[in-house]
């Protein structure tokens, strides 16, 4: 008999980074206290640079005072990884899940995130693979197409992955992406000969890849989640 493994999927649209961070913290605490099931946040951010817990802000190549002029923000986080960029037309998934409940360690969790993005790229005829030693994320040759930065506290995950569908890659010129100076950044649009559907469809395909790789077979969609993240007023759509 197949075991039912449920995952709530919150489709949030474009969300300010700080709002998304506060939501993750709330959900992670609730998950740790067994107040809710595993949850996956699906969203995009306005142009935003984030720095991991090592605070490698030296990999930001322009003065912070000039960020407003290019329409971007900078935020410090407690995730792993180096500096990266988030922006429109980049699919972001933040899993808030219990690694103990699904029997995964930290390394296996990251490997499955890599597999999720590799599987999506393959759907469009793009051969992606994990980075070499010391290179995080997912790569197409020498070009990075997907970034990974996670936080695990008390066995509960937060932060996650960012897959480049068709973002404005010029923003990456202002940083040393993920601290790797001699590599380029790419996107699905740049790498495939296939005409891409709307970004929302690609993002839903990424969700499906995540569910398949992690073994979730009951997705509970939360499509009415507003920027206020009112837990009580969302409508469920169960698939």
């Amino acid at each position: 008999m197949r075991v039912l493994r449920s995952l709530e999927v919150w489709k949030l649209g474009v969300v300010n980074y700080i709002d998304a961070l506060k939501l993750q913290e709330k959900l992670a605490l609730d998950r740790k206290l067994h107040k809710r099931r595993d949850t996956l946040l699906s969203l995009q951010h306005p142009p935003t640079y984030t720095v991991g817990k090592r605070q490698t802000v030296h990999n930001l190549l322009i003065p912070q005072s000039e960020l407003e002029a290019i329409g971007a923000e900078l935020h410090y986080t407690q995730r792993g990884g180096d500096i990266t960029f988030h922006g429109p037309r980049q699919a972001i998934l933040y899993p808030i899940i219990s690694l103990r409940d699904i029997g995964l360690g930290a390394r296996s969790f990251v490997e499955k995130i890599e597999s999720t993005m590799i599987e999506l790229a393959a759907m469009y005829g793009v051969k992606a693979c994990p980075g070499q030693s010391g290179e995080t994320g997912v790569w197409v040759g020498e070009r990075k197409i997907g970034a990974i930065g996670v936080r695990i506290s008390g066995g509960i995950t937060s932060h996650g992955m960012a897959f480049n569908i068709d973002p404005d890659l010029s923003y990456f010129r202002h940083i040393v992406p993920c601290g790797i100076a001699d590599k380029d950044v790419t996107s699905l649009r740049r790498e495939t000969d296939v005409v891409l559907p709307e970004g929302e469809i690609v993002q839903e395909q990424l969700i499906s890849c995540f569910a398949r790789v992690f073994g979730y077979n009951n997705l509970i969609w939360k499509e009415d989640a507003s920027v206020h993240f009112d837990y009580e007023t969302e409508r469920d759509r169960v698939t």
Side-chain angles (χ1 to χ4, degrees):
M1 182 177 179
R2 187 175 71 161
V3 176
L4 190 67
R5 292 183 58 186
S6 298
L7 177 71
E8 276 191 20
V9 181
W10 289 30
K11 296 173 64 177
L12 301 176
V14 179
V15 181
N16 175 276
Y17 189 82
I18 291 298
D19 289 338
L21 184 61
K22 291 178 179 178
L23 177 60
Q24 288 181 77
E25 292 170 350
K26 168 63 176 170
L27 293 175
L29 178 59
D30 286 351
R31 186 66 187 92
K32 189 178 298 186
L33 297 175
H34 306 286
K35 290 183 176 180
R36 64 179 309 107
R37 60 173 66 90
D38 286 351
T39 303
L40 183 68
L41 305 184
S42 172
L43 52 93
Q44 297 185 23
H45 290 305
T48 306
Y49 295 105
T50 66
V51 177
K53 59 186 177 182
R54 288 184 292 161
Q55 297 195 1
T56 51
V57 74
H58 58 272
N59 285 325
L60 177 67
L61 302 179
I62 63 172
Q64 293 186 38
S65 59
E66 294 182 14
L67 289 175
E68 185 176 353
I70 63 171
E73 298 179 351
L74 173 68
H75 295 290
Y76 294 82
T77 79
Q78 291 301 306
R79 63 162 173 79
D82 210 293
I83 193 168
T84 195
F85 169 76
H86 298 307
R89 299 185 300 280
Q90 182 190 67
I92 294 174
L93 297 184
Y94 292 146
I96 315 297
I97 65 177
S98 170
L99 294 185
R100 295 191 182 104
D101 284 4
I102 59 177
L104 290 180
R107 183 64 247 175
S108 296
F109 172 63
V110 171
E111 288 172 350
K112 284 185 178 292
I113 289 181
E114 292 171 342
S115 296
T116 296
M117 293 190 282
I118 290 169
E119 187 173 303
L120 177 66
M123 293 174 63
Y124 292 91
V126 177
K127 182 175 175 55
C129 62
Q132 302 299 314
S133 178
E135 297 176 350
T136 60
V138 169
W139 300 74
V140 180
E142 297 291 296
R143 303 172 300 281
K144 191 167 191 174
I145 196 169
I148 298 173
V150 301
R151 173 175 167 80
I152 302 172
S153 176
I156 307 300
T157 68
S158 59
H159 298 274
M161 73 188 85
F163 184 87
N164 295 333
I165 301 173
D166 186 26
D168 182 350
L169 296 178
S170 67
Y171 279 98
F172 287 96
R173 299 175 191 159
H174 302 301
I175 60 174
V176 180
C178 300
I180 304 172
D182 58 345
K183 300 293 177 68
D184 199 5
V185 177
T186 191
S187 66
L188 188 60
R189 172 78 67 186
R190 179 175 288 188
E191 298 294 336
T192 186
D193 295 325
V194 177
V195 176
L196 295 182
E198 292 295 323
E200 183 177 353
I201 294 174
V202 181
Q203 191 137 357
E204 289 189 356
Q205 291 170 335
L206 185 63
I207 294 168
S208 295
C209 291
F210 178 90
R212 188 160 46 248
V213 168
F214 280 84
Y216 293 102
N217 48 31
N218 181 47
L219 300 188
I220 303 165
W221 297 83
K222 301 280 192 174
E223 298 197 46
D224 291 339
S226 72
V227 293
H228 302 293
F229 309 118
D230 185 342
Y231 294 178
E232 305 300 324
T233 61
E234 299 148 1
R235 276 199 317 270
D236 287 5
R237 175 168 65 84
V238 180
T239 61

